[in-house]
Amino acid sequence: FTKSLTEPTNTALRLYKKIPSQDYISSLYADSAQQIWIGTAKNGVWMLDQQQNLHHINLPSNDDSNPWIYDITEMSPGIIWFGTFGKGIIEYNTKSGIFTSIRQQRGLKRNLLDNDIWSFFKDRRGLIWIGSRRGVNIYNPSQSAFKYIPGDMDGPNGLPDSQIYSVLATSDDQLWLGT
């Protein structure tokens, strides 16, 4: 974590001090349009455009607080997902400016396991693996459907630990989960 964003310029670093000093950066992501998305713990999301202008993205909220952004990914060009603490996934359409909230909905079989979303990983098949406080969600964009593998379950269908902080697949398609 750091309190400012730096960019290499030749052999020097350029320091961006526009993010409030009482906050810190919790995630960084470069999208297909070469924009840098910056997730923070207290001030939501910032975006650095190609002209090096820094923009604060006002996320929707029922209260005056911005959610803690744990991870960021691009679902398709112009569609950005923000993994949050307690507010699930916030989808942002950069072209229309429209936000969509994707949250756990109790009683539904195919939805998020939890609203604490810690990591995203897109595999070679296009599936999105989502690490959360209660296990792994698997999102299939072609079906707009979620499946999940819950954590802290004994037996062959669960994970030995519920908290999944990171997800990675190797070139031979072995899946690694960071707990």
Side-chain angles (χ1 to χ4, degrees):
F1 296 106
T2 182
K3 289 190 175 190
S4 58
L5 179 69
T6 58
E7 173 193 359
T9 307
N10 296 330
T11 58
L13 294 176
R14 184 185 326 175
L15 187 63
Y16 289 88
K17 292 187 175 183
K18 294 184 180 181
I19 295 174
S21 63
Q22 74 274 13
D23 204 354
Y24 59 89
I25 295 169
S26 52
S27 59
L28 295 167
Y29 186 82
D31 70 14
S32 60
Q34 302 307 309
Q35 300 174 126
I36 307 294
W37 295 88
I38 306 156
T40 69
K42 297 179 182 175
N43 287 291
V45 176
W46 298 77
M47 187 268 295
L48 186 67
D49 65 23
Q50 291 179 342
Q51 290 75 38
Q52 305 302 306
N53 298 311
L54 190 62
H55 307 273
H56 185 252
I57 307 299
N58 292 312
L59 299 174
S61 180
N62 293 337
D63 53 27
D64 289 336
S65 66
N66 281 301
W68 183 331
I69 306 299
Y70 279 128
D71 203 7
I72 303 168
T73 196
E74 185 175 32
M75 295 300 295
S76 59
I79 304 296
I80 307 295
W81 274 15
F82 306 111
T84 71
F85 177 74
K87 297 189 179 191
I89 298 168
I90 298 173
E91 180 179 275
Y92 179 52
N93 184 318
T94 62
K95 291 170 183 54
S96 69
I98 294 175
F99 293 94
T100 303
S101 180
I102 303 169
R103 298 179 61 115
Q104 178 189 39
Q105 298 176 25
R106 297 196 189 280
L108 293 180
K109 190 170 181 153
R110 293 180 167 263
N111 78 91
L112 290 177
L113 264 173
D114 186 62
N115 286 323
D116 291 345
I117 304 301
W118 291 337
S119 63
F120 297 115
F121 176 75
K122 189 182 292 189
D123 71 15
R124 289 195 290 179
R125 298 171 296 173
L127 299 176
I128 309 299
W129 295 77
I130 305 164
S132 77
R133 184 174 51 91
R134 294 184 56 214
V136 174
N137 295 275
I138 306 149
Y139 179 72
N140 185 336
S142 67
Q143 298 175 353
S144 296
F146 287 93
K147 292 182 182 180
Y148 57 83
I149 304 169
D152 275 347
M153 292 186 64
D154 293 327
N157 296 324
L159 301 171
D161 195 336
S162 64
Q163 299 186 43
I164 308 300
Y165 296 104
S166 58
V167 181
L168 173 75
T170 59
S171 60
D172 60 350
D173 289 329
Q174 289 188 27
L175 188 69
W176 289 78
L177 303 176
T179 61

